[in-house]
């Protein structure tokens, strides 16, 4: 009996990317802007990079960070869902070694009448098979 394929759920992560952006439905959000905090998890098999100590066998988390920051700071979205989807699509397109990405976007100053720490979105997108 064959043993199952090992689970390669290695993760590189960047937590607490802080950007100032103008995302949101309301005119005041577009005009004034606000802080967004983004966490990024990059899933890939890191075993070969770990065994060989070869940078070309992994993903550059610095480049991924710059990709996230550029999208968040230069594009405008009404919905954080659209921001998250755009980031996920770009990362999967730009980094062929990735098998999946997880993105959490927090909006600590969301225009909601009430007391809360943050409002946000968490998504996970996998590379399409084939």
């Amino acid at each position: 009996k064959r043993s199952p394929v090992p689970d390669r759920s290695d993760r590189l992560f960047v937590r607490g990317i802080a950007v100032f952006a103008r995302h949101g439905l309301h005119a005041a959000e577009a005009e004034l802007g606000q802080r967004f905090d983004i966490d990024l998890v990059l899933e890939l098999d890191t075993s070969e990079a770990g065994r060989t100590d070869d940078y070309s066998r992994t993903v550059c988390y610095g480049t991924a960070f710059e990709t996230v920051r550029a999208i968040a700071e230069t594009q405008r979205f009404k919905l954080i869902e659209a921001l998250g989807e755009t980031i996920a699509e770009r990362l999967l397109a730009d980094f062929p070694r990735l098998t999946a990405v997880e993105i959490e976007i927090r909006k600590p100053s969301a225009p909601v009448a009430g007391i809360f720490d943050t409002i946000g979105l968490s998504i996970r997108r996998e590379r399409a098979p084939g």
Side-chain angles (χ1 to χ4, degrees), residues 75-128:
Q75 297 184 44
R76 171 146 164 46
F77 300 94
K78 293 177 185 172
L79 302 177
I80 58 174
E81 292 88 342
L83 171 60
E85 199 66 38
T86 300
I87 291 170
E89 288 173 2
R90 175 76 60 78
L91 291 172
L92 288 169
D94 288 356
F95 299 99
R97 289 187 179 276
L98 292 179
T99 56
V101 296
E102 291 180 22
I103 300 155
E104 183 171 294
I105 302 169
R106 292 178 302 282
K107 193 173 177 177
S109 299
V112 173
I115 299 170
F116 58 90
D117 285 333
T118 193
I119 290 175
L121 167 77
S122 179
I123 66 168
R124 182 176 189 281
R125 297 292 179 263
E126 295 181 9
R127 180 173 305 286

Side-chain angles (χ1 to χ4, degrees), residues 38-76:
I38 303 170
D39 291 343
L40 179 63
V41 178
L42 308 171
E43 293 186 21
L44 70 155
D45 180 353
T46 64
S47 60
E48 192 174 352
R51 278 193 309 276
T52 63
D53 200 22
D54 183 349
Y55 176 74
S56 71
R57 307 289 184 188
T58 190
V59 168
C60 177
Y61 48 78
T63 303
F65 169 90
E66 290 299 333
T67 299
V68 170
R69 192 174 73 171
I71 291 169
E73 291 180 346
T74 64
Q75 297 184 44
R76 171 146 164 46

